[in-house]
Amino acid sequence: MDFIKSAVASAISKGPAFGYTFGDRVDIDESIWTLYNGTKREDGSKCSIFSFDITANKSRLPLARNALRKLRTLRHPGVVKVLDTVETETYIYIATERLTPLSWHVKRKSLTEETIKWGLHNIAKTLKFINADATSIHGCIRPASIYFGESGEWKLGGFEALSSMKEDDAVLPTYGSIIPDSNRYMAPEVSKGGWEVIRQNPIHVVDAYNFGVLIFETFNGGFLGSDQLGQMKSIPPSMHQVYKRLLNPSPKARMSVGQLLDQGRRIGGFFQTPLIQVTEDIESLGLKGDTERDDLLGKLDEVADDFPAEFFKLKVLPELLKSVEFGGGGAKVFGTVMKIGAKLSDEEYDSQITPVVVRLFSNPDRGIRVCLLDNLPLMIDHLPQKIVNDKIFPQMVTGFTDLAPVVREQTVKAVLTVVPKLSDRIVNGELLRYLAKTANDEQPGIRTNTTICLGKIARNMGANTRGKVLAAAFARSLRDPFIHARSAALQALAATSDLFTEDDCASRLLPALCPSLIDKEKVVRELAQKTLDIYVARIRKLTQAYPDTVPPSPALNTAGGNPAPRMGTPANDTSWAGWAISSFTNKLAAASGEIQSGSNGQAPQPRPSSVPPPTALKADKPGPSNLKSGMTLTKHSASIPAIVSPDPAADFGEIEDFDDGWGGFGEDDTNKQEEDDPWDEPAPSASKSSAAGTKSYDDQGEPDFAGWLAAQSGRKAKKSPLPKGLTKSTVPKTAIAKTPSTRPAVGARANTTGSTATTKKVVVPAKKVAPKAEMKSNEEEEDGWGDAW
């Protein structure tokens, strides 16, 4: 074998340039040619090379040259395709498409009946062309002259004896006897009278007889001699009649191959098989109507197992792609394309299907777009990431804003398929902006699918983006009137619980989840309970490692190193009322404006900012009367906003505007929270406050602190009772000076340098609104009041 390759290589080096490389030798039946597998040097494509050694077979050189000349000039779809030829004094090379000998499959009996009929049909069409149109005789019809082409179709070769009877120097009458194995396939009249007899008979008689022998050999797996031709057991019964007529001993009565072809194509004929019909109709697929196209595709699915895989790749697939792109094939044709594409290699897929898919995504037809999105899971593994990012996704996003709801819905569903191939920049930017719009779609199904989509692509988002986007999106879906949207939000929250921090779980997600516990739908309530348990378990696990209390900051310690005393519940009073009274008294003492010196003459210890200073009490009379006299409240300016408890029926979700996206994907979280803080709303007007103050308040048996304090202050004027939260009433423009228990107005600074419990005279404008920051500080100090009640 190595010797043959080296001999061939040396012969090529001495002759004309031949742009093909020899590979393995292919075993074939007796022939004047030696067949090799080869490759084209330019692009590495596969081919076959027929080699004829002139020095070794000089007697058969006329047959080799005749084959070379006929293959160059004869062009037909059923004839072996020639790529290049070279002829020198020592050799003849013919490079053709990659071929496989039919004799291999015939000997193994690996061909089905339908496949054999399909192959015989192709050879019959080629022979009809040679006999009728080219007025020639092939003279060598047998399995050794027939090959499987690249598409799996049967191709006719063996043109060594191809002769036109119009030529005086026809090869067949002269050299027919030296054709390899000619005696076994020789027609009866030639056996009796020699090859010159063919000039006296019709052109088709020799080829018709050989075609009859071919039928016998392909169905029986071999042929030894003419004595076997009467055994028709393996031949389909529908072909018995034409088989006998092909082998008729009388040349004048012998059926031509063209007549066999016409009879087989009749209704109910042996050539009326789905495989053959698909082959003939596939070329005109783009011209067929919807009904005819559907019928053809149905037949194509039925015979898919009988067709060679190469036939689908090289013959059926190109026609289907043309029908989808230009012939209006639609979803059914594209579905068949995807079935064939699943059998292609990556290189074949990139060269045949990917360019068409990219062009189809830019097609404005909605039917094609929906078809592409439906079949995207079958394509995505074959599509390179660069193609998806640069060419497919920019066209795909137009479906998010399409007028047809079905296109929008399919686009949202397709995100799950395409997101692994998208870059982080696209996922965290453009994709989320489009999903923010579909989350507010008018169609409830699209909103629901968007929520599901966000839950499934959560781990593809950036760590800095997913928290605020998912929290805002799921909170919006929890308020959706569509039950399935709410259910999807709860399930998505449960599935993505590990992606949120414990702070977000406690401050953002649990408040949004709680209203679902009283949802009108039982399914939602049950899901809400399960989801809530997941988040509470996370928070409980975190707080298990927390200390019981947090020590004060070192900055608050005194110079001597002793921490300031903590204000809390008295040790001898564990009731709720005792805590409330002590806390309330301490807060009132903080309004005196001065810090009393210690009884031992030492400097007062600094107090924590969260603990109010003690109240200045009169020392002349011990007992409860002194305590009462030191707790008179001074009215403050009306400009200080009252602490108004939020309406429990109000919908907190309305504070977050979801129509503008999910909080702006690049905005600062702190600013957003400040903008959305419900507690930063301005105070209600004075008329509303006074109206609210006239409501009766049930003290539930608790001490009347408002009346008690008013009685001790010496004021007998009519005063409205304090509502819950101790809403402050208006004060005169000029605060009363030197009132021991006067609390400084907002914006006034307490005098802490003196030793007497006096307050500086402060003038507060009647209608001036305090700055927002100071308002917050005052409200923080007064939180204990509202909480105590």
Side-chain angles (χ1 to χ4, degrees):
M1 184 66 187
D2 295 335
F3 171 75
I4 295 175
K5 288 185 178 180
S6 61
V8 170
S10 61
I12 292 175
S13 62
K14 297 177 182 179
F18 189 60
Y20 298 86
T21 302
F22 285 79
D24 298 332
R25 180 176 175 178
V26 180
D27 294 331
I28 57 177
D29 290 339
E30 293 186 16
S31 174
I32 67 173
W33 301 97
T34 303
L35 181 61
Y36 296 91
N37 288 328
T39 55
K40 190 175 182 179
R41 295 177 183 174
E42 183 178 355
D43 55 6
S45 59
K46 297 179 180 180
C47 68
S48 291
I49 302 174
F50 289 89
S51 173
F52 181 79
D53 188 354
I54 297 177
T55 57
N57 296 292
K58 196 166 186 179
S59 61
R60 292 176 175 174
L61 179 60
L63 296 178
R65 287 179 173 171
N66 183 69
L68 178 65
R69 181 165 55 91
K70 296 297 183 181
L71 284 172
R72 283 175 174 173
T73 57
L74 190 64
R75 292 288 183 268
H76 189 271
V79 174
V80 170
K81 182 180 179 181
V82 177
L83 303 178
D84 195 6
T85 61
V86 171
E87 181 180 2
T88 66
E89 295 179 355
T90 57
Y91 61 83
I92 297 175
Y93 296 146
I94 303 175
T96 66
E97 59 180 314
R98 176 60 65 90
L99 302 173
T100 303
L102 175 64
S103 56
W104 287 7
H105 301 276
V106 170
K107 291 178 180 179
R108 293 197 298 262
K109 296 184 179 181
S110 60
L111 302 174
T112 63
E113 179 180 328
E114 294 299 315
T115 304
I116 293 175
K117 287 183 178 180
W118 176 55
L120 291 174
H121 180 264
N122 290 338
I123 299 300
K125 290 192 299 182
T126 308
L127 268 181
K128 180 182 178 181
F129 166 76
I130 292 175
N131 294 154
D133 299 336
T135 62
S136 300
I137 302 174
H138 187 279
C140 197
I141 299 297
R142 61 194 67 174
S145 300
I146 300 173
Y147 303 88
F148 282 104
E150 292 178 312
S151 61
E153 296 175 285
W154 291 17
K155 297 294 185 75
L156 183 59
F159 286 179
E160 295 84 14
L162 183 65
S163 303
S164 173
M165 292 299 97
K166 296 179 180 180
E167 299 175 352
D168 296 334
D169 57 346
V171 173
L172 186 58
T174 306
Y175 300 98
S177 59
I178 63 174
I179 297 175
D181 209 11
S182 61
N183 293 331
R184 185 155 57 105
Y185 295 96
M186 191 175 294
E189 64 273 12
V190 177
S191 298
K192 295 177 181 178
W195 285 102
E196 290 292 337
V197 179
I198 62 175
R199 296 184 181 272
Q200 303 170 10
N201 295 317
I203 293 177
H204 67 270
V205 294
V206 174
D207 290 338
Y209 181 85
N210 288 340
F211 192 83
V213 176
L214 178 65
I215 292 175
F216 177 88
E217 189 168 1
T218 52
F219 280 111
N220 288 274
F223 170 67
L224 298 177
S226 58
D227 297 338
Q228 296 179 314
L229 296 178
Q231 303 174 5
M232 297 185 295
K233 182 178 179 180
S234 299
I235 300 174
S238 59
M239 301 184 68
H240 285 180
Q241 183 180 0
V242 297
Y243 172 72
K244 292 178 180 179
R245 294 181 62 183
L246 288 172
L247 298 177
N248 195 311
S250 173
K252 304 294 184 180
R254 194 172 296 162
M255 173 187 283
S256 68
V257 176
Q259 292 172 337
L260 173 140
L261 194 61
D262 294 338
Q263 187 169 341
R265 287 175 172 176
R266 293 176 184 174
I267 298 176
F270 49 85
F271 282 156
Q272 284 291 316
T273 64
L275 205 61
I276 296 174
Q277 290 178 357
V278 168
T279 306
E280 293 187 337
D281 294 343
I282 197 68
E283 297 180 358
S284 59
L285 179 62
L287 303 177
K288 295 184 180 297
D290 294 339
T291 304
E292 295 177 340
R293 186 186 301 116
D294 293 343
D295 292 341
L296 177 59
L297 295 177
K299 295 177 183 178
L300 191 60
D301 293 336
E302 294 176 2
V303 300
D305 296 334
D306 295 330
F307 269 123
E310 292 77 9
F311 180 79
F312 276 96
K313 296 177 184 178
L314 300 179
K315 290 293 184 179
V316 178
L317 183 59
E319 297 299 329
L320 293 177
L321 291 174
K322 291 178 184 177
S323 177
V324 173
E325 192 171 3
F326 307 110
K332 290 187 177 181
V333 176
F334 196 80
T336 307
V337 169
M338 290 295 99
K339 292 180 182 179
I340 300 174
K343 302 177 182 179
L344 300 179
S345 63
D346 291 339
E347 294 77 10
E348 292 170 339
Y349 203 99
D350 291 342
S351 62
Q352 296 190 55
I353 296 182
T354 299
V356 178
V357 169
V358 172
R359 292 195 297 268
L360 288 177
F361 263 104
S362 61
N363 194 314
D365 185 84
R366 288 191 175 98
I368 291 179
R369 173 59 60 85
V370 172
C371 175
L372 289 171
L373 296 176
D374 286 340
N375 291 278
L376 195 57
L378 302 176
M379 299 185 287
I380 194 64
D381 292 337
H382 299 278
L383 298 176
Q385 184 175 5
K386 183 174 179 59
I387 295 292
V388 175
N389 276 281
D390 299 343
K391 296 183 179 180
I392 292 180
F393 185 77
Q395 298 294 337
M396 175 180 163
V397 295
T398 59
F400 287 110
T401 56
D402 195 272
L403 296 178
V406 65
V407 178
R408 300 199 301 272
E409 184 174 11
Q410 291 302 118
T411 305
V412 172
K413 291 180 180 179
V415 170
L416 299 179
T417 304
V418 77
V419 72
K421 292 292 183 79
L422 298 179
S423 63
D424 294 340
R425 178 184 60 82
I426 293 178
V427 172
N428 296 298
E430 188 175 1
L431 177 60
L432 290 183
R433 284 196 293 271
Y434 281 109
L435 290 178
K437 295 179 180 179
T438 56
N440 291 277
D441 197 274
E442 60 182 7
Q443 297 292 328
I446 297 178
R447 299 197 301 268
T448 303
N449 287 330
T450 301
T451 302
I452 296 172
C453 177
L454 286 170
K456 291 188 175 183
I457 69 171
R459 285 167 174 78
N460 295 95
M461 300 181 189
N464 298 329
T465 305
R466 69 163 72 105
K468 56 184 178 181
V469 170
L470 295 180
F474 295 157
R476 160 67 181 82
S477 296
L478 289 174
R479 303 191 302 270
D480 199 295
F482 190 49
I483 177 176
H484 298 293
R486 301 197 299 275
S487 300
L490 291 170
Q491 293 176 0
L493 281 169
T496 59
S497 60
D498 59 315
L499 301 180
F500 299 99
T501 63
E502 284 79 1
D503 291 342
D504 285 342
C505 293
S507 61
R508 303 182 67 181
L509 298 177
L510 286 180
L513 277 169
C514 288
S516 299
L517 296 173
I518 56 173
D519 196 276
K520 294 181 180 179
E521 300 291 341
K522 181 180 178 181
V523 176
V524 177
R525 293 195 301 271
E526 292 176 350
L527 286 174
Q529 185 62 56
K530 294 178 181 178
T531 306
L532 193 70
D533 292 342
I534 294 175
Y535 283 87
V536 171
R538 284 199 63 197
I539 297 172
R540 186 180 292 114
K541 182 178 180 181
L542 173 70
T543 55
Q544 283 177 354
Y546 280 11
D548 294 340
T549 183
V550 180
S553 175
L556 299 177
N557 292 341
T558 60
N562 297 324
R566 296 175 58 83
M567 303 300 295
T569 306
N572 59 352
D573 191 354
T574 58
S575 65
W576 178 85
W579 174 88
I581 294 173
S582 63
S583 178
F584 181 73
T585 306
N586 292 334
K587 285 183 177 288
L588 289 178
S592 63
E594 289 186 359
I595 300 176
Q596 297 293 332
S597 61
S599 60
N600 56 0
Q602 294 179 357
Q605 296 178 349
R607 61 179 178 85
S609 59
S610 60
V611 179
T615 307
L617 303 177
K618 292 184 178 180
D620 54 346
K621 290 183 181 182
S625 60
N626 291 337
L627 177 64
K628 295 179 182 178
S629 62
M631 297 178 65
T632 303
L633 291 178
T634 302
K635 296 182 179 180
H636 294 282
S637 171
S639 62
I640 301 175
I643 299 177
V644 182
S645 299
D647 184 2
D651 187 1
F652 283 81
E654 296 300 326
I655 297 170
E656 188 172 17
D657 185 6
F658 200 71
D659 292 337
D660 295 334
W662 295 320
F665 297 104
E667 295 179 4
D668 182 62
D669 291 343
T670 304
N671 295 337
K672 184 64 180 176
Q673 292 174 1
E674 290 180 358
E675 293 175 2
D676 294 343
D677 190 355
W679 303 105
D680 283 347
E681 296 294 332
S685 61
S687 61
K688 291 183 179 180
S689 298
S690 61
T694 60
K695 289 184 178 181
S696 62
Y697 181 74
D698 185 6
D699 57 6
Q700 300 294 334
E702 297 296 334
D704 185 6
F705 286 101
W708 176 43
L709 295 175
Q712 296 302 321
S713 64
R715 297 189 184 90
K716 301 300 181 180
K718 183 172 64 176
K719 179 180 179 182
S720 61
L722 292 173
K724 183 177 180 179
L726 299 179
T727 303
K728 295 176 286 300
S729 58
T730 58
V731 298
K733 294 183 179 180
T734 305
I736 300 174
K738 296 184 180 181
T739 301
S741 60
T742 302
R743 181 168 182 166
V746 175
R749 188 185 182 108
N751 182 13
T752 60
T753 59
S755 60
T756 60
T758 60
T759 305
K760 289 185 179 182
K761 185 176 181 181
V762 181
V763 178
V764 181
K767 297 184 180 180
K768 183 177 180 180
V769 180
K772 182 176 180 181
E774 297 184 2
M775 288 164 58
K776 282 189 175 182
S777 176
N778 191 33
E779 290 170 3
E780 290 174 358
E781 292 182 4
E782 294 175 358
D783 284 345
W785 296 12
D787 294 341
W789 298 100

